[in-house]
Amino acid sequence: MKYKVDEIVKLKHVTEEDKQKSQLTYYDRFKKYEGLTGTILAITKSNKYEVLIHTSKPNTKFFYEELWLEKLTEFEAF
């Protein structure tokens, strides 16, 4: 597993190829969350990530594949 519970991740723009590789369905409503961040709440036995999405709508959470997520990049100002 690449990510851990309570880690903040970025929701990637998912390509058609990545959608086809998945056991999960990538719903059209997921597109509006692409580029946002989320917190990993849990990891299933089949390595699916339950993600709480950081949005104005409270308690928005979905299951994501690992390849649909990316590390959050932070830069330190000088």
Side-chain angles (χ1 to χ4, degrees):
M1 289 175 285
K2 188 174 182 178
Y3 305 106
K4 298 177 181 159
V5 172
D6 294 328
E7 185 171 355
I8 297 174
V9 294
K10 184 176 178 182
L11 308 176
K12 289 173 50 175
H13 168 72
V14 179
T15 64
E16 287 301 319
E17 182 180 340
D18 287 343
K19 291 176 191 176
Q20 298 305 316
K21 292 178 185 176
S22 175
Q23 295 175 353
L24 294 175
T25 301
Y26 193 86
Y27 296 104
D28 285 339
R29 66 178 176 244
F30 286 9
K31 290 180 185 178
K32 67 181 172 185
Y33 302 116
E34 291 177 354
L36 296 180
T37 58
T39 301
I40 295 176
L41 298 176
I43 304 168
T44 68
K45 290 180 183 178
S46 59
N47 294 328
K48 307 301 182 250
Y49 296 87
E50 183 180 17
V51 179
L52 176 65
I53 301 170
H54 302 161
T55 181
S56 60
K57 186 177 177 185
N59 209 25
T60 302
K61 53 187 171 182
F62 295 105
F63 284 92
Y64 280 79
E65 291 278 1
E66 186 172 282
L67 61 119
W68 298 352
L69 305 171
E70 62 186 1
K71 290 272 186 191
L72 187 62
T73 305
E74 295 182 14
F75 297 97
E76 290 188 30
F78 8 169

